[in-house]
Amino acid sequence: MSHSNHSSLVQRSTASSPAAGEKEKIAYSDADLEHSHVRGLETSAETSLQRGLKARHITMIAIGGAIGTGLIIGTGKALAQAGPGSIFISYTIVGFIVFLVMAALGEMAAWLPMSAGFTGYASRFCDPSLGFALGWTYWFKYIIVTPNQLTAAALVIQFWLPRDRVNPGVWIAIFLVAIICINYFGIRFFGEFEFWLSSFKVVVIIGVILLALIIACGGADGDPKGFRYWDNPGAFRPYIATGSWGQFLGFWSTMVTATFAYLGTELVGVTVGEAQNPRKTIPRAIRLTFYRIVFFYVISIFLIGMCVPYDSPDLAFANSSSGNANASPFVVAIKLAKIPVLDHILNGCILVFVFSAANSDLYIASRTLYGLSSDGAAPSIFRKTNANGVPLYSLFTSAAVALLAFLNVSDDSKTVFTYFVNLTTIFGLLTWISILITHIWFVRARRAQGLTKDMMPYVAPLGIWGSYGALFMCCLIALTKNFDVFVGDWNKKYPTFITGYLGIPIYLVLIVGHKLWTKSKGVRPHECDFYTGKDIIDREEEEFLAAKAAKKAANPVEKKNMSWFYRRFVSWLF
């Protein structure tokens, strides 16, 4: 599309929207008509991304972000700390909160799929200062999480090759080069690669669920366990205190574990700028995410609680292990059932999980920095892309910070890096809070301007009240996530308190600092701009659907039966 076409589209987007004259008086800064740049929506060849992610890529990337080591490894600590009943309830509740966050994001993304992702939505629909703080903290989280995943990959390999035989720095270097290459070759290559990795994850989780079911029914060792461990030692383990209060504290500690296991599901919001036909694919990915969360998380958590008692000595050993297969409650179940070799196979699967996570984390980091630049919150060089639509400056800057992973090679610097990781985990929760606040502002503005539900491509099922409920729960979890530091020896626990809560004041300082520096104001409902740049998306959607119809007309019979079977019976899972 030529420069002049883009200019006319952007100009027409303002003219075709209701109350165009009023919008011109407001002098809204999101549209730079002279240079055909809409804030948060890139259209020129030098800065635009390529829409190379198909529907199947988006849906698999969404579930790939949710399934990770948090499920395979992290559940062991939660089970030992609180018992099977607690983790089943907490993972179910938080799974529903995740769906509400995703639905809120989906409603905004389907209306206007912006290059800047949810950073752009916060700036445009709520407050530019919120978008600034959200974008920078989200980027900071992922440039720390990426090297953390690389370190985890090195730990997984130590299951077979001890640290004294091969320095973990070797594996960190190999994996870092690999993920940079995958991200460098463009979104189509990345999407296809991540699709197959995520498909592998799904197969592994299905295998693990079947394995746990067979063990629980006695198919492995002839001893059907059923709900034996829910009765003895029990479904709820007291934590810190005794009695029912202690059991509640145990349950609440797993709410925090569950929240951090699900973090990353929102990454589908980063992909909107590179999705084909995003108004259809993004809502579909979000609906499927809910079913998959129920299937993968809730069922596997339920079954592992039947296979492993919370007071198992093997489980206690697992929680003292590093991040390889020894730390997984599923490996504990395999050992208790006396099944040989499977622990090695599961360790290999965990390695793939961690590699996939590192790959998608670097993608998120690079696109978040690109989105910040597109939104005017970072230097403009970071929104420049190459011929494949890859923001190279953003990619290599994010990859350079991933060199922090080499801190973990030395035991002395490892402690510093651990503090960094603890600091950034709160940013993931603050991201959910920001998305929910933005959605509440979005719905208020939509109602104020007379945009009805039937005009929206997708509407969050529980609407604004679902976002209010999820916002309350997220705020409660954020404020109580390290409640155990207030019990016991303060001198030993104060570093955990500082790193656990420091993210909240940093976030607030970024919002207030940006507001004071730029004199920005929150977006009022009747002034919210729903239309600038929408014509560009409408035109892209028309072109995509026309091309799809032409292709279908040329090959009316091709793969019709198989594609119908896939959509009807398999696509919710894969």
Side-chain angles (χ1 to χ4, degrees):
M1 203 182 278
S2 69
H3 181 94
S4 60
N5 282 348
H6 277 313
S7 294
S8 62
L9 278 173
V10 175
Q11 288 170 22
R12 191 160 64 251
S13 72
T14 310
S16 63
S17 62
E22 288 175 29
K23 282 197 171 80
E24 283 162 14
K25 285 176 194 171
I26 294 163
Y28 197 82
S29 61
D30 276 2
D32 178 359
L33 299 181
E34 188 181 336
H35 299 97
S36 85
H37 175 243
V38 180
R39 178 175 173 173
L41 189 68
E42 297 300 329
T43 52
S44 73
E46 295 81 25
T47 61
S48 60
L49 301 169
Q50 286 186 0
R51 293 200 179 275
L53 291 177
K54 298 178 181 176
R56 63 185 176 89
H57 295 147
I58 296 284
T59 51
M60 286 313 295
I61 287 171
I63 194 59
I67 299 175
T69 51
L71 175 59
I72 291 288
I73 295 176
T75 46
K77 185 183 176 187
L79 176 61
Q81 191 165 291
S86 291
I87 59 171
F88 178 68
I89 295 168
S90 60
Y91 275 75
T92 305
I93 292 171
V94 178
F96 186 62
I97 293 171
V98 170
F99 172 67
L100 293 174
V101 173
M102 296 283 284
L105 178 59
E107 183 171 331
M108 297 182 289
W111 175 258
L112 189 64
M114 293 172 72
S115 312
F118 41 72
T119 306
Y121 299 132
S123 295
R124 181 160 176 164
F125 300 131
C126 185
D127 192 317
S129 298
L130 181 69
F132 176 83
L134 168 62
W136 280 110
T137 52
Y138 198 65
W139 182 69
F140 186 60
K141 175 181 186 276
Y142 275 96
I143 58 170
I144 296 298
V145 167
T146 306
N148 191 45
Q149 297 287 9
L150 294 170
T151 307
L155 286 172
V156 171
I157 291 178
Q158 285 176 29
F159 184 79
W160 298 301
L161 284 169
R163 187 188 180 102
D164 52 1
R165 279 186 62 190
V166 180
N167 190 301
V170 173
W171 306 116
I172 290 171
I174 291 169
F175 289 128
L176 180 59
V177 170
I179 63 170
I180 291 171
C181 289
I182 292 165
N183 276 271
Y184 176 79
F185 288 123
I187 191 62
R188 283 182 178 83
F189 181 78
F190 171 86
E192 203 62 40
F193 194 88
E194 199 58 34
F195 172 79
W196 290 108
L197 281 182
S198 295
S199 300
F200 177 78
K201 285 184 184 181
V202 170
V203 171
V204 170
I205 294 293
I206 292 171
V208 163
I209 286 172
L210 289 173
L211 173 70
L213 180 63
I214 291 164
I215 292 172
C217 295
D221 54 2
D223 176 24
K225 296 170 179 62
F227 286 93
R228 181 193 306 167
Y229 299 136
W230 284 59
D231 183 48
N232 181 27
F236 300 92
R237 183 175 196 170
Y239 177 61
I240 298 177
T242 55
S244 55
W245 175 241
Q247 289 177 338
F248 174 76
L249 291 178
F251 157 72
W252 193 255
S253 70
T254 63
M255 285 288 284
V256 179
T257 313
T259 302
F260 293 118
Y262 284 121
L263 286 179
T265 321
E266 77 289 333
L267 71 84
V268 72
V270 180
T271 66
V272 292
E274 291 170 285
Q276 292 178 1
N277 195 16
R279 287 188 175 142
K280 186 176 179 183
T281 54
I282 299 296
R284 184 170 181 271
I286 283 163
R287 279 195 298 271
L288 292 178
T289 300
F290 178 65
Y291 298 128
R292 288 162 171 175
I293 281 171
V294 170
F295 184 80
F296 296 127
Y297 270 90
V298 177
I299 293 178
S300 57
I301 292 287
F302 176 68
L303 290 171
I304 199 63
M306 294 170 72
C307 298
V308 182
Y310 69 64
D311 59 354
S312 164
D314 290 292
L315 192 61
F317 168 75
N319 291 325
S320 65
S321 301
S322 55
N324 57 34
N326 283 328
S328 171
F330 295 97
V331 170
V332 173
I334 289 166
K335 286 178 178 175
L336 290 174
K338 300 179 175 63
I339 305 171
V341 184
L342 258 182
D343 52 343
H344 289 274
I345 295 171
L346 194 57
N347 194 63
C349 296
I350 290 169
L351 182 61
V352 176
F353 275 43
V354 173
F355 178 73
S356 169
N359 187 36
S360 60
D361 288 347
L362 181 60
Y363 166 80
I364 294 167
S366 64
R367 295 315 189 267
T368 303
L369 186 55
Y370 168 88
L372 278 164
S373 180
S374 176
D375 199 42
S380 59
I381 191 171
F382 291 122
R383 62 187 172 96
K384 290 191 183 301
T385 56
N386 67 1
N388 291 329
V390 178
L392 288 184
Y393 295 104
S394 293
L395 174 63
F396 288 121
T397 303
S398 302
V401 185
L403 295 170
L404 283 171
F406 290 103
L407 281 173
N408 286 296
V409 175
S410 162
D411 287 331
D412 297 333
S413 55
K414 204 173 184 177
T415 312
V416 178
F417 189 75
T418 307
Y419 287 151
F420 267 127
V421 174
N422 291 343
L423 175 66
T424 56
T425 48
I426 188 71
F427 289 146
L429 200 48
L430 288 169
T431 299
W432 287 5
I433 290 169
S434 303
I435 290 169
L436 291 165
I437 290 171
T438 306
H439 179 248
I440 290 166
W441 253 249
F442 177 87
V443 175
R444 285 171 57 198
R446 174 165 68 74
R447 289 174 178 173
Q449 296 188 27
L451 279 167
T452 55
K453 287 184 178 180
D454 57 306
M455 295 167 71
M456 307 297 292
Y458 174 75
V459 178
L462 297 184
I464 196 170
W465 294 108
S467 291
Y468 274 123
L471 179 62
F472 171 76
M473 288 300 294
C474 287
C475 290
L476 194 60
I477 293 167
L479 293 172
T480 59
K481 81 180 196 78
N482 286 89
F483 70 87
D484 54 343
V485 300
F486 302 107
V487 181
D489 188 354
W490 173 255
N491 292 327
K492 288 180 182 175
K493 292 192 173 182
Y494 78 88
T496 314
F497 171 78
I498 293 169
T499 55
Y501 288 106
L502 187 62
I504 297 173
I506 288 174
Y507 198 74
L508 295 174
V509 165
L510 282 171
I511 292 173
V512 174
H514 181 268
K515 207 168 258 303
L516 293 172
W517 183 264
T518 62
K519 304 289 189 291
S520 70
K521 293 180 180 178
V523 179
R524 294 175 183 173
H526 63 280
E527 291 178 0
C528 185
D529 184 2
F530 283 97
Y531 293 96
T532 302
K534 186 173 178 293
D535 277 18
I536 300 170
I537 304 298
D538 292 343
R539 176 67 61 87
E540 283 181 355
E541 185 179 31
E542 284 170 19
E543 288 172 358
F544 175 82
L545 293 173
K548 190 177 178 182
K551 189 178 178 182
K552 192 175 180 180
N555 302 295
V557 189
E558 187 187 6
K559 295 181 184 174
K560 187 175 180 181
N561 294 333
M562 282 304 293
S563 63
W564 175 84
F565 179 82
Y566 171 79
R567 282 197 309 273
R568 193 83 178 84
F569 299 107
V570 187
S571 64
W572 73 273
L573 198 57
F574 285 92

